[in-house]
Amino acid sequence: MRRRAAYMLLALALVAPLPGAAELDPEEHEIRSRVEARRDEMVSLLERWAGMNTGTWNRPGLEAFAALLAPALTELGFEVESESPELAYPGRGRVTMGPLLVARRPGPPEGGQRFLLVGHYDTVFEPDSPFQTYRVDPDDPGRAIGPGVADMKGGLVVLLYALRALADGGLLDRAHWTVVLNCDEEIGSLASRARIEEETRTATLGFVFESARAGGEMVSSRRGLGQFYLTVKGWAAHAGSSHSKGRSAVLALARKVIEIEALTDYGAGVTLNTGIFEGGTRRNIIPEYAEAWIDLRYDELAQGREIRERVEQIARHDHVEGTTGELWGALHRPPKRDTPAVRELLELHAEIARAVGFEAPDPIHVGGGTDGSLMGALGLPTLDSLGVRGGAAHTDREFVVLDSLPERAVISAILLRRLALRPSGREVLSPASVPEGDRWVPAGGTLVNSARSGRKQR
Ligand SMILES: [Zn+2]
């Protein structure tokens, strides 16, 4: 019976277009040819942008880059504001972050969709990284390698050319637009989060231009993320003449890290990773200081909260008498759910991709979080991974599939055009309208101090 139904579907597929594989209309054909005519321009813009260093902590580099982004949006009729939010960050004290760009373009006087488009222009490659330049992949001329080409300067090129194609056809007036471009995404958007959430509450649909996988796989859902910075202070002493008087910070931190990593539970979807562990100064000195950065991933918000409590207890526990643990931490990305509204957006995206002649592989669940996770957690239907096809992000092999620049801009522009023609179904959001289980609780840096036991402090 099931087999017969499958054959019938197959027969239908052979005589009729695939379900949902609608044709492009004349306006959409025009969008497509406008974007495709600018392919080379898109590639050279990406080359220029990838060559500009925008590490999260490189403020002059970020300012220079923002100075190019802002006018590109102003030209399309956006009003652009720039902010410099403050952030207290471990090891750096109070830092002025930014520029955080918020660009607005009003739509029809009555109704209309309120689109929120989000992207980041920082990368994980600071000026001291050896990975600074763009080059065509010597093994595959259809690809280019460079810092941020996929994550996500390529996505910014896609975003910009999708908007340009709509602007050229006079189509931007059909919706209200807000574009948020932040430059602290790679540390978890700790400084820009409040602004992203504020804009999320008044939007009807959200779009994030992080990259898709190389084959075009879109992201349907994401795991939640947390980060911890754990420091231990001990007591220095000569490792030979006064070993028993020393209090080893390295030993205490090692014990804490072993307990923390033991919280990993693959079956439950919880993983912890100590990515950085440092301490001590010399072989023959009992180390008085040690620190670690720990990454947390979880599938359910409740798991994230529980692990945070457990890590706080471990930080506080007296693993070596006379040492003090101090913890800073944040659950900075909630899990992003595959809701029916997200499904619908993914299906529309796939339908357009097929209509334009590109493959539309099945969406996937991934472990990395984005600003789309913040938007989704507030109940905004958000389509993630609209950027280029690419991969190997955060490594010196990061690549982009060059043809995906025009391809993805065409798909996004047509998607936004179609959605702008739909009546907006979402009212301004109040936190109460978000289902209890999905409600995202502010979780900025938390600090735990354990009482120093044993010897006196100098
Ligand atoms: Zn990114």
Side-chain angles (χ1 to χ4, degrees):
M1 185 66 199
R2 192 173 288 166
R3 181 174 293 179
R4 202 169 125 206
Y7 282 132
M8 281 177 67
L9 274 176
L10 184 66
L12 271 174
L14 292 174
V15 293
L18 284 169
E23 303 279 305
L24 300 189
D25 72 14
E27 210 168 77
E28 292 171 346
H29 276 293
E30 263 180 54
I31 289 176
R32 182 181 189 173
S33 36
R34 274 196 294 269
V35 175
E36 285 177 349
R38 304 175 94 171
R39 181 197 184 272
D40 294 349
E41 202 182 303
M42 295 175 83
V43 171
S44 50
L45 181 63
L46 178 58
E47 177 172 4
R48 224 172 22 240
W49 279 2
M52 294 176 72
N53 184 283
T54 53
T56 309
W57 302 109
N58 177 12
R59 184 72 199 253
L62 294 165
E63 275 168 0
F65 198 82
L68 300 180
L69 281 177
L73 290 166
T74 313
E75 268 170 32
L76 302 176
F78 281 80
E79 216 163 274
V80 185
E81 285 169 44
S82 169
E83 293 173 15
S84 304
E86 293 263 301
L87 174 68
Y89 196 75
R92 294 180 183 268
R94 261 204 113 63
V95 201
T96 304
M97 306 296 288
L100 164 61
L101 300 179
V102 182
R104 277 180 222 289
R105 194 180 191 284
E110 299 274 314
Q113 294 278 1
R114 292 185 299 276
F115 291 149
L116 174 59
L117 280 56
V118 174
H120 67 90
Y121 62 98
D122 62 326
T123 73
V124 294
F125 304 104
E126 295 294 332
D128 61 355
S129 157
F131 190 44
Q132 297 289 342
T133 49
Y134 170 104
R135 66 180 197 278
V136 173
D137 185 343
D139 299 323
D140 182 351
R143 292 181 171 196
I145 296 170
V149 289
D151 183 15
M152 60 161 278
K153 284 174 178 168
L156 295 178
V157 174
V158 168
L159 187 163
L160 183 61
Y161 278 79
L163 290 178
R164 281 184 178 163
L166 293 168
D168 291 348
L171 307 178
L172 285 180
D173 297 333
R174 291 178 183 169
H176 306 266
W177 303 82
T178 300
V179 178
V180 174
L181 301 174
N182 60 344
C183 56
D184 61 338
E185 198 278 338
E186 296 295 359
I187 57 162
S189 304
L190 297 172
S192 57
R193 174 177 160 178
R195 189 58 194 258
I196 291 168
E197 290 183 336
E198 190 187 322
E199 299 300 335
T200 295
R201 290 177 205 284
T202 53
T204 54
L205 288 170
F207 307 90
V208 178
F209 286 76
E210 294 279 6
S211 65
R213 293 298 183 271
E217 294 86 350
M218 300 287 287
V219 174
S220 57
S221 53
R222 294 179 179 273
R223 300 178 73 192
L225 268 78
Q227 55 181 317
F228 301 104
Y229 177 70
L230 177 54
T231 59
V232 176
K233 285 195 185 105
W235 192 261
H238 193 292
S241 59
S242 48
H243 189 282
S244 65
K245 297 203 173 100
R247 297 291 180 265
S248 172
V250 165
L251 180 61
L253 185 60
R255 288 181 174 155
K256 290 181 197 300
V257 160
I258 288 167
E259 283 187 21
I260 289 168
E261 296 240 357
L263 299 172
T264 288
D265 183 342
Y266 294 119
V270 173
T271 57
L272 287 115
N273 174 58
T274 308
I276 300 176
F277 185 109
E278 285 173 347
T281 51
R282 291 181 70 95
R283 176 184 51 80
N284 54 5
I285 298 175
I286 307 282
E288 75 173 338
Y289 180 78
E291 63 177 49
W293 276 100
I294 297 147
D295 177 274
L296 164 66
R297 314 263 158 162
Y298 48 95
D299 284 338
E300 301 293 331
L301 200 48
Q303 293 173 323
R305 291 185 184 130
E306 192 198 320
I307 296 289
R308 184 175 60 184
E309 271 173 36
R310 303 278 294 276
V311 172
E312 283 172 3
Q313 285 161 11
I314 294 168
R316 227 180 266 130
H317 185 83
D318 203 5
H319 286 91
V320 171
E321 193 204 348
T323 57
T324 316
E326 195 174 283
L327 180 74
W328 173 93
L331 298 181
H332 59 285
R333 302 280 187 221
K336 184 171 190 288
R337 302 206 184 280
D338 185 359
T339 63
V342 170
R343 270 282 139 187
E344 204 190 318
L345 290 173
L346 283 165
E347 273 160 25
L348 182 59
H349 187 273
E351 177 182 314
I352 294 165
R354 284 193 293 264
V356 180
F358 300 108
E359 351 168 7
D362 284 340
I364 50 172
H365 171 72
V366 301
T370 70
D371 291 322
S373 308
L374 298 174
M375 295 152 70
L378 288 175
L380 180 66
T382 300
L383 187 57
D384 208 322
S385 59
L386 284 165
V388 292
R389 290 192 280 124
H394 299 197
T395 76
D396 62 4
R397 302 177 310 279
E398 180 175 358
F399 70 91
V400 56
V401 177
L402 290 170
D403 278 344
S404 74
L405 286 162
E407 167 200 319
R408 307 289 289 181
V410 168
I411 298 170
S412 282
I414 293 175
L415 176 83
L416 291 165
R417 172 194 178 265
R418 288 193 185 177
L419 290 169
L421 296 173
R422 289 188 181 179
S424 130
R426 184 177 184 266
E427 287 314 307
V428 173
L429 198 76
S430 69
S433 65
V434 180
E436 181 67 41
D438 286 345
R439 223 176 276 171
W440 178 231
V441 177
T446 54
L447 208 61
V448 173
N449 277 294
S450 82
R452 179 175 270 265
S453 57
R455 54 187 307 138
K456 275 180 268 167
Q457 195 173 357
R458 210 182 342 205

